[in-house]
Amino acid sequence: MTKDFWQEEIETMPRKQLEQLQVERLKKTVEIAMNSPFYGPMFKERGITPESIKSVEDIRRFPFTTKQDLRDNYPFGLASVPLEKVVRLHSSSGTTGKPTVILHTKKDIEQWADAMARSMYCIGLRSTDVIQNTSGYGMFTGGLGIQYAAERLGALTVPAGAGNSLRHLKFIQDFGTTALHCIPSYATRLATVLNENGVDPRETKIHTLIIGAEPHSEAQRKRIEEIWGAKAYNNFGMSEMCGPGVAIECKEQNGMHIWEDNYIVEIVDPQTLEPVKEGELGELVLTTLNREAMPLFRYRTRDLTRILPGDCPCGRTHKRLARFQGRSDDMMIVKGVNIYPIQIEKVIMEYPELTSDYLITLDTIGDNDEMTLEVELVQLVDDYAYLQNLNKELSRRIKDEILITPRIKFVPKGSIPQSEGKAVRVKDNRQNH
Ligand code: ADP
Ligand code: ZN
C-alpha cells in the first residue's frame, strides 16, 4: 500500500481537527458571502454571522441553494466579491437545462488546481506522467480544470481537447501519453477508434484513466480497464463547486474521497430535505469552504449517492462517496416504477457481445408507457435464433432489475447517435413529459 500524499497533513487529518478546520473556513466563507446581494440579506434575516458559527452542525441553519437560484440570479447575482477581483467564469455543461455561470478569483483558480492536483497524486500520477485531456477547453470545467491541475502536478500536459479521435490516437503514440482524462462514454469510443486503426489500446503507454463527469456503473469501469489494460478512477466534479477536483477514488477504488477541507458534505432526503440515516442513499448537498468569488451554501447537487461507512485503508480521513446512482432528474417513472438508466446499464455490461452505448426511448402507446431499449451488437450476426435468445435473456435480466420488460432492439455498433458532450441515455416521447 502506497502511503504518500500530495498534502499529507490535510489528507490524513484526524476527524476532529478536520471539523475544526471546517468551522474556521465556514466562518470565513460567511464573512465573504455577506457581500453577496443574494446571501447578504438572507444572512441578516436569519442572524447568520461568522461569530454565530460554533460547529459544523450550524450548517443546518442555512437555507438550501438550488440551480434555480443560480438561474434566477444569472449571471453575477451571487458574486461575493467585486467583479474586478474575478478573473474567470465557467458555466456548467447545461445537461439539464439553461446553463449557469460560476465565477472565480485568482485564489479560487489556484485552490481548484491544487485540489485536482491532489486528486491526481492520489491515484498515482506524478510529474513524470504525460496527461492527455480529451475534454473541451471552453466553458466546460473539464478542460482548463484538468489543465491547471496537471501543470501544478508538474506533469507534461497534452491539451488535445474534445473530439477528433484520430488526432488523440496520434498524440497518444507520438507523445507517449501515460494518462487520459475522459468521460467514460468516450473512453470506450476512443478505444474502438484505436482498434479500428490497428492499435491495441493495451499496447499504448497509458496506465491510468481519470473518468468522471457522468454516471457509470462499476461494470463499465471494469470494461474500460479491460480494454485499455489500465486503471480507471472515478472522479467527481461539478462547475458549481469549481469543476473536477471535488472527490476522487483512491487506489482502493472503493468510494470517492470528498475533500472535506473544501466542502461540508450532507446527504439529505430529496423530498423532506432532512438528513438521511448514516450510510443511506440521498441527495448530495455541498457547501464550499474555500471559494471566494461565488461561495455556495447547502447547494443541492441533485446527485444521488451515499456515504460509505468505515475508514479507508489508504489513510485518508476524508469521507467517501459511493458511485453515483444518477441525478434526481435522471429518474424515469415508468408504469409507476422509479428507474435510473444506470440500473439498465449494469445489465447491458454483463454482455460482452454488446457495446456500452445504449438508448432508452419512452413512448405512450394507448394509455401505457412503453420502453424501448436500443443496444449495439459488437459484431453483426445474422443468426436469428441466437438473436432471439439473446433478446429473451436480456429482457428477462432487465425485468429482474427494474420490474419492467423493455422492447429490445439490436442495432449495429456505432449507430446510436453520440452526443458532443455527456452521453444522452434517455429519450422521453411520452405525453405529459
Ligand atoms: P451539468 O450539470 O450541465 O452536466 P457539470 O459539467 O458541472 O454540468 O456537471 C456536473 C454533474 O456531472 C454532476 O452534478 C453530476 O451529475 C455529473 N457527474 C460529475 N462527475 C460524476 C461522476 N464521477 N459520476 C457520476 N456523475 C458525475
Ligand atoms: Zn482511500
Side-chain angles (χ1 to χ4, degrees):
M1 190 72 37
T2 139
K3 286 248 180 202
D4 49 351
F5 305 91
W6 178 250
Q7 288 147 314
E8 180 159 5
E9 199 194 334
I10 289 210
E11 290 173 58
T12 62
M13 194 173 262
R15 296 281 326 164
K16 264 221 152 66
Q17 209 178 322
L18 187 55
E19 279 168 27
Q20 199 45 49
L21 179 67
Q22 289 186 313
V23 171
E24 277 158 36
R25 291 195 172 172
L26 180 60
K27 281 171 184 261
K28 176 90 191 129
T29 308
V30 168
E31 193 184 316
I32 296 169
M34 278 158 72
N35 301 315
S36 125
F38 178 76
Y39 286 118
M42 197 186 282
F43 287 176
K44 237 192 199 129
E45 195 182 305
R46 293 183 177 235
I48 297 175
T49 58
E51 305 74 51
S52 71
I53 310 276
K54 305 279 181 246
S55 75
V56 178
E57 276 69 54
D58 277 316
I59 199 65
R60 309 256 324 255
R61 292 167 47 210
F62 291 71
F64 290 93
T65 309
T66 63
K67 209 172 190 116
Q68 194 56 42
D69 293 324
L70 265 55
R71 290 183 178 137
D72 292 346
N73 294 279
Y74 177 92
F76 303 141
L78 272 92
S80 292
V81 299
L83 279 188
E84 66 186 47
K85 278 197 76 186
V86 176
V87 298
R88 197 196 294 168
L89 64 75
H90 272 286
S91 104
S92 77
S93 12
T95 310
T96 60
K98 203 174 124 190
T100 48
V101 162
I102 306 297
L103 308 172
H104 301 265
T105 64
K106 217 173 195 153
K107 193 164 157 232
D108 290 338
I109 300 276
E110 271 162 28
Q111 269 150 359
W112 172 17
D114 210 45
M116 189 60 223
R118 182 198 291 176
S119 306
M120 287 173 168
Y121 200 91
C122 169
I123 58 171
L125 298 183
R126 298 291 181 267
S127 58
T128 42
D129 277 296
V130 181
I131 303 178
Q132 186 163 324
N133 190 9
T134 70
S135 291
Y137 278 70
M139 300 298 257
F140 179 49
T141 52
L144 289 172
I146 292 292
Q147 182 68 31
Y148 274 54
E151 286 176 11
R152 170 154 298 215
L153 184 70
L156 171 57
T157 316
V158 185
N164 204 339
S165 301
L166 283 177
R167 203 167 64 125
H168 275 297
L169 162 57
K170 183 169 164 44
F171 290 170
I172 288 171
Q173 290 183 310
D174 292 356
F175 306 146
T177 301
T178 60
L180 264 190
H181 172 251
C182 54
I183 55 176
S185 50
Y186 191 63
T188 50
R189 233 181 290 158
L190 183 58
T192 306
V193 173
L194 262 64
N195 277 317
E196 283 168 358
N197 285 276
V199 179
D200 180 353
R202 304 176 63 92
E203 306 280 288
T204 67
K205 289 198 179 143
I206 292 174
H207 56 67
T208 302
L209 288 97
I210 308 170
I211 52 172
E214 61 182 14
H216 55 288
S217 53
E218 181 62 34
Q220 186 171 2
R221 181 243 291 279
K222 291 235 167 73
R223 186 176 277 203
I224 291 171
E225 291 193 323
E226 178 70 31
I227 51 181
W228 283 96
K231 285 281 178 197
Y233 294 96
N234 192 4
N235 182 41
F236 162 60
M238 72 189 308
S239 316
E240 294 90 322
M241 294 297 123
C242 65
V246 178
I248 194 162
E249 282 177 330
C250 62
K251 292 209 161 171
E252 298 292 322
Q253 293 188 309
N254 183 21
M256 299 180 281
H257 286 286
I258 177 153
W259 302 127
E260 289 181 87
D261 51 323
N262 293 337
Y263 306 98
I264 292 178
V265 186
E266 297 171 88
I267 309 280
V268 305
D269 178 320
Q271 256 79 50
T272 63
L273 298 181
E274 287 300 315
V276 298
K277 284 206 202 83
E278 223 180 289
E280 276 182 11
L281 187 77
E283 179 177 342
L284 177 68
V285 170
L286 295 175
T287 298
T288 65
L289 295 176
N290 213 355
R291 294 180 44 75
E292 50 182 28
M294 201 173 142
L296 294 174
F297 297 84
R298 303 194 91 191
Y299 185 70
R300 291 189 59 184
T301 65
R302 301 194 284 184
D303 290 315
L304 299 169
T305 181
R306 61 195 177 87
I307 291 179
L308 297 180
D311 298 332
C312 187
C314 78
R316 291 178 181 81
T317 49
H318 299 234
K319 286 177 186 157
R320 286 168 302 160
L321 301 178
R323 190 173 283 289
F324 288 12
Q325 173 95 23
R327 310 186 198 222
S328 45
D329 345 55
D330 288 342
M331 193 182 77
M332 314 169 259
I333 304 182
V334 184
K335 298 183 178 167
V337 184
N338 299 351
I339 301 167
Y340 290 93
I342 209 86
Q343 294 174 279
I344 294 173
E345 177 181 307
K346 253 188 355 216
V347 177
I348 295 174
M349 291 299 145
E350 291 168 9
Y351 295 83
E353 50 272 72
L354 302 177
T355 77
S356 48
D357 284 318
Y358 61 96
L359 182 67
I360 301 160
T361 308
L362 302 171
D363 292 290
T364 310
I365 310 279
D367 282 336
N368 284 324
D369 292 339
E370 187 79 30
M371 179 190 285
T372 307
L373 173 65
E374 282 172 73
V375 284
E376 294 182 344
L377 288 168
V378 172
Q379 248 153 14
L380 274 187
V381 236
D382 47 16
D383 183 340
Y384 182 72
Y386 165 84
L387 285 180
Q388 215 179 15
N389 242 335
L390 184 61
N391 194 320
K392 256 202 210 136
E393 200 189 304
L394 189 60
S395 38
R396 192 183 43 79
R397 278 288 298 113
I398 289 177
K399 184 167 185 220
D400 287 348
E401 188 68 36
I402 62 171
L403 309 174
I404 291 204
T405 312
R407 210 162 61 89
I408 293 186
K409 233 167 105 179
F410 294 116
V411 297
K413 183 174 178 174
S415 54
I416 289 176
Q418 293 175 343
S419 63
E420 271 286 296
K422 305 187 183 195
V424 176
R425 304 297 196 193
V426 182
K427 216 163 87 191
D428 199 339
N429 302 326
R430 290 178 295 180
Q431 289 140 22
N432 314 321
H433 276 274

